[in-house]
Amino acid sequence: MANTQNVRTLMGDQDPVNRTTNFKEVALGYSTGAAMNEADRCLNCKNKPCVSGCPVGIPIPDFLRKVADGDIAGAYEILSAANALPAVSGRVCPQETQCEGKCVRGIKGEPIAIGRIERFVADWAAYRGITDKVEPVSSNGHKVAVIGSGPAGLTCAGELARMGYEVTIFEAFHVAGGVLSYGIPEFRLPKAVVKREVEKLEKMGVKIELNMVIGKVLTITELFEQEGFEAVFIGSGAGLPMFMKIPGESLIGVYSANEYLTRINLMKAYKADAPTPVLRNKKVAVVGGGNVAMDAARCAKRLGADVHIVYRRSEAELPARAEEVHHAKQEGIVFDLLTNPVSIEGDEKGQVQSITCIKMELGEPDASGRRRPMAVPGSEFKMEVDAVIMSLGTQPNPMSYEGTPGLEKTKKGCVAADEKGCTSCPAIFAGGDAATGAATVILAMGAGKNAAKSIDEYIKSKN
Ligand code: FAD
Ligand code: SF4
C-alpha cells in the first residue's frame, strides 16, 4: 500500500540569512530515503493525470515506482529516455502548474513532489557517472542545423542525434545553455548541472559552434546553400528586453533584467576578480513580478542591496512561481505591490537617484483575464534608489532571421510555426521562445522534442 502521508517529504534549504551572502544553490535536494518515502506516496493512478500535465510526456508513475522500490538506476533509465534535461527540469520547471498541478494526491493533501524526485534521480545518476555513458548511434548521413543552445535547441539536438542525424548547434554566446546559463542564477540552477547536460550532447556527437551569431556570421540561407544542412531549427529564444518608455530609463543604473542577469550569471560579475564587474548598489527597485524579476532581485540582494520589487498588480496576480516568491520574501526582499513607476530621476552625473511611483487599484478583468490595474490619482511618491532593473518581459530577437527573405513572423515578432514547422518554409522549424515568445523551460523542451519528430518526418519524406 502507498505511503498515506498527506504532506510532502521535506527538502532542506540553505538558511535564508546565510544564503543572501553567497550564490550557492538554495535547495539542498532529497536524500535517497526521502526520495523513496516521497515516491511511495504515488497511487499509480490508472489514467495518469500527471503525465498529461507534462509537456515532454515522462511516464511519471513508472519512474516513481522504481524510486519507491529503491531502483534508482531503473528510474533514471525511464526518466532519461523521455527527458533530455532531467537535472534542469527537476530544478526549474513550473511543476506546480504542470505534472504536480494534476496530481490526484493534491486533491486532499499536497501533490507528490515530482520535481524534487526527478532532480534527485538525475543527480544520483550524475554522481555515479551513469549520465556519462552514452550509446554510440551510427550516422544516417543527414545534417541538421540548430540555432540557439537553450532548452529548445538542446532538446531538439539531442532527439535528432539519438535518431542518427549529424547535428550542429550554432550559439551566439561564448557559453552554451541559453537562459539556463545566462539568465537563471547559480543559486537556483548551478552552472555545473547545465555544463553536464551540454557535455552529454557532445558525447552523443552533437557539434556546438559558439560565438556564431546566425544572421550575422552566417545566414539561414547560407546554412542551406553553403553548409549543406537539410533542415534548420530556430531556437533563438526571446532575448530582446522591453522597457516602460517612462522618463529616465536611459540614466546610468537602469538595467534590463537580461543585462543584469547576464553580467552576473554568464560573466560572473559577483566574483571580485570578474572581468566585467557590476556596480554594487545600496537600494535597488526591480520592476515586474515574474520569475525573471525574482531572479534579478535575489541577485541584487546577494550583492548587498536593499531590494524592492515594484509590481502594479496584487500578490494574487504575481506571475512568478510561488516557490520563488516565498524564497524572495524569506531573503528579505520587500514587495511594493499595487505600485507602478512613472519616472526615474538622476543626479547631475546622470546616475539614478530615485524612482517616482504611483499607487494602483484593481478594476475589472482585462483581455488577459487578470484584473486591470488603475492608477490612484494623487498617490505619487518617491523612493530613493541607486539602480532600477526593468523586468517587464522580452520579445524574440530578430537577428537570426536577417538575410533570410520570406520568413513569416507573428504580431509578437516570433517565427510563425505550428507543430509541423514554419509556415513559410518546409525546411525551417522553430520552437521554444522563438516560436511562442512566452514559454517555460519545459514548454521549450516539449517544442524542441516535437520539432525533432517533424524534422525527421520532413527529411524522410524527401529521401
Ligand atoms: P533560450 O533559453 O533563450 O535560448 C536561446 C539561445 O539562442 C540563447 O543561447 C541565445 O544566445 C541564442 N541565440 C539567439 N539569437 C541567436 C542567433 N542569431 N544566432 C545564434 N544563437 C542565437 N522558465 C521556467 O520554466 N522556470 C523558471 O524558473 C524560469 N526562470 C527564468 C528566469 C529567467 C531569468 C529567464 C530569462 C527565463 C526564465 N524562464 C523560466 C523561461 C525559460 O528560461 C525560457 O522559456 C526558455 O529558456 C526558452 O528556451 P529557448 O531554448 O527557447 O530559448
Ligand atoms: Fe502518482 Fe499523482 Fe501521477 Fe497519480 S497523479 S500517478 S498519485 S504522481
Side-chain angles (χ1 to χ4, degrees), residues 15 36 62-63 76-77 96 101 157 161 174 190 197 221 224 254 294 299 309 315 331 341 354 360 372 382 405 433 440:
D15 170 71
M36 286 172 66
D62 299 354
F63 101 85
Y76 180 72
E77 211 171 295
E96 63 277 14
H174 61 288
E197 304 287 9
T221 310
F224 286 120
V254 180
M294 299 306 136
C299 282
I309 292 267
E315 172 136 14
E331 290 169 11
S354 61
M360 308 293 280
R372 187 192 299 275
K382 204 172 259 197
D433 282 356
T440 60

Side-chain angles (χ1 to χ4, degrees), residues 39 41-51 60-62 64 99-100 102-106 111-112 114:
R41 293 180 61 223
C42 173
L43 303 172
N44 198 9
C45 310
K46 214 170 159 196
N47 55 353
K48 307 179 194 337
C50 50
V51 179
I60 293 166
D62 299 354
L64 293 183
C99 54
E100 294 177 10
K102 299 224 155 103
C103 175
V104 168
R105 288 300 305 255
I112 312 279
I114 301 167

Side-chain angles (χ1 to χ4, degrees), residues 180-199:
L180 310 178
S181 291
Y182 80 78
I184 304 181
E186 182 79 21
F187 54 81
R188 278 214 295 136
L189 178 62
K191 300 310 145 211
V193 171
V194 184
K195 193 163 170 265
R196 197 165 76 204
E197 304 287 9
V198 170
E199 284 170 358

